[in-house]
Amino acid sequence: MKLKVIPAFTGKNYSSIDEILKDRKTKKLLWAEILFNDEIDWEKYKSKVEEDYKKAAVFYTNFRYLFKNRKPLPEIKEKLDEKEIRRFEKIYRFLNL
């Protein structure tokens, strides 16, 4: 698995989705990995990461203009909480996108 966000924030690399799901700290970053890393075919893991996939899709819908070169995610119109938006902004700035 070629991860981008999770190793940048945790310093750890994972070889499978199951490893990520076992680590609570890493699991909290999974939505961001899905959102910022379209090199992985998340559709095949969708049943295991359904909640995180949905959260990534909500962010994608709200900030679509930032992801012009990304494979599209489903459109899910929901409001985002300010705390989550700040976390998104921190990750976005850190990755220098």
Side-chain angles (χ1 to χ4, degrees), residues 1-43:
M1 245 183 166
K2 190 175 180 185
L3 303 171
K4 294 178 181 179
V5 176
I6 291 172
F9 280 85
T10 65
K12 299 177 186 175
N13 225 331
Y14 296 87
S15 58
S16 75
I17 197 72
D18 294 322
E19 285 181 36
I20 294 169
L21 295 173
K22 287 178 188 173
D23 186 336
R24 282 184 37 187
K25 213 176 217 183
T26 303
K27 170 78 169 83
K28 289 181 181 181
L29 291 168
L30 188 54
W31 68 270
E33 187 71 50
I34 294 167
L35 180 61
F36 290 105
N37 186 355
D38 65 344
E39 292 177 24
I40 296 173
D41 180 12
W42 294 106
E43 289 288 325

Side-chain angles (χ1 to χ4, degrees), residues 33-89:
E33 187 71 50
I34 294 167
L35 180 61
F36 290 105
N37 186 355
D38 65 344
E39 292 177 24
I40 296 173
D41 180 12
W42 294 106
E43 289 288 325
K44 72 180 185 179
Y45 302 113
K46 202 170 174 184
S47 63
K48 290 184 177 187
V49 300
E50 193 170 340
E51 187 178 311
D52 298 291
Y53 191 87
K54 179 184 177 197
K55 186 174 180 177
V58 170
F59 273 98
Y60 177 79
T61 301
N62 282 278
F63 296 100
R64 185 175 323 170
Y65 61 92
L66 297 173
F67 299 99
K68 290 184 170 87
N69 298 321
R70 191 209 186 289
K71 293 177 201 166
L73 286 170
E75 185 173 318
I76 302 175
K77 293 183 180 183
E78 285 184 17
K79 281 198 151 253
L80 295 165
D81 134 321
E82 288 295 318
K83 183 177 154 188
E84 292 293 330
I85 292 172
R86 285 191 300 277
R87 184 177 295 155
F88 167 81
E89 290 170 341

